[in-house]
Each structure stands twice: as C-alpha cells, then as structure tokens.
Amino acid sequence: HVQLVESGGGSVQAGGSLKLSCIVSGYNGSSNYCMGWFRQAPGKEREGVASLYTGGGSTHYADSVKGRFTISQDMLYLQMNSLKPEDTAMYYCAADGSRLPPSQLLLSKKYTYWGQGTQVTVS
C-alpha cells in the first residue's frame, strides 16, 4: 500500500523560502515512479508545480515557478525560493508507477497516489 506524507509547509513573508518534503512508502526498493508536487488554492483547480521520474531524466516545472522552485529526488523535496503571495495554496505530493511522458508529468489526473497536503501561506 503506497502512502505519501508531506511536511514543511508554513507561513512566510513574500521573498522568503520554504522546503517541502515528501516521504513515500509502499514502493519496493527497485521500483521507479513518477513523482510530482501539485497545489490548489481556494476556488481554483489543482495545478502541477514540479515533477520528475525517479529512474532518471529531466525535471519539469510549471512556468509560474521556473527559476524559483526546485524538485529533487533526494527526499523528494521541493525547495521554494522567492515566494510570492500567489504561491499560497495547499501543496500535495503525488506518485504514480507509470512512466508518464513529459507532456503528462504535470497532469494531476495521471497520478494515482496522493498525500494529505501541507499548507503554504505567503503574505
């Protein structure tokens, strides 16, 4: 049973930084999977923020966070710098055992497993 648990959210002033982590359990040690960070603000649809494939390959980012956010396979963290008020949202990590093509890596509907989310508030 695959489980994901996010941590690291909080409140920060504009221009500040936060680092989110995602602990994934239930995949066996030799399995690779797609992993992504998504966010959802009140009244808005869930959007893909950053993603990668744990078997290697490139990382992918939404245009709105390029140059500010970094996703890493190490502890599956999302380093968020130069935060803006519009980054305020509930952030979720997600995983899927399929090797999704680059065009689908930021599509939430393609991911099977989800964490409960961690709130990020930028003021």
Side-chain angles (χ1 to χ4, degrees):
H1 180 64
V2 178
Q3 291 185 309
L4 295 84
V5 179
E6 306 95 336
S7 62
S11 297
V12 65
Q13 291 188 336
S17 298
L18 283 173
K19 183 175 179 179
L20 306 182
S21 297
C22 179
I23 297 176
V24 181
S25 61
Y27 274 109
N28 68 55
S30 62
S31 294
N32 290 304
Y33 50 91
C34 294
M35 186 272 176
W37 282 97
F38 296 80
R39 66 186 182 187
Q40 188 166 20
K44 295 188 177 181
E45 293 186 355
R46 189 169 297 188
E47 64 170 341
V49 174
S51 63
L52 57 76
Y53 179 65
T54 62
S58 60
T59 53
H60 301 267
Y61 298 93
D63 289 342
S64 58
V65 306
K66 282 181 181 177
R68 301 189 297 122
F69 290 13
T70 302
I71 187 172
S72 172
Q73 186 170 338
D74 181 20
M75 289 298 293
L76 296 175
Y77 72 73
L78 181 69
Q79 178 68 46
M80 305 186 295
N81 298 327
S82 301
L83 283 162
K84 304 175 181 180
E86 51 262 45
D87 294 318
T88 295
M90 185 71 78
Y91 282 70
Y92 300 89
C93 66
D96 194 272
S98 305
R99 182 157 190 177
L100 299 171
S103 60
Q104 296 181 10
L105 280 168
L106 293 178
L107 296 179
S108 60
K109 64 182 180 180
K110 295 295 184 179
Y111 286 77
T112 302
Y113 305 103
W114 291 84
Q116 293 300 306
T118 185
Q119 178 68 38
V120 171
T121 302
V122 185
S123 59

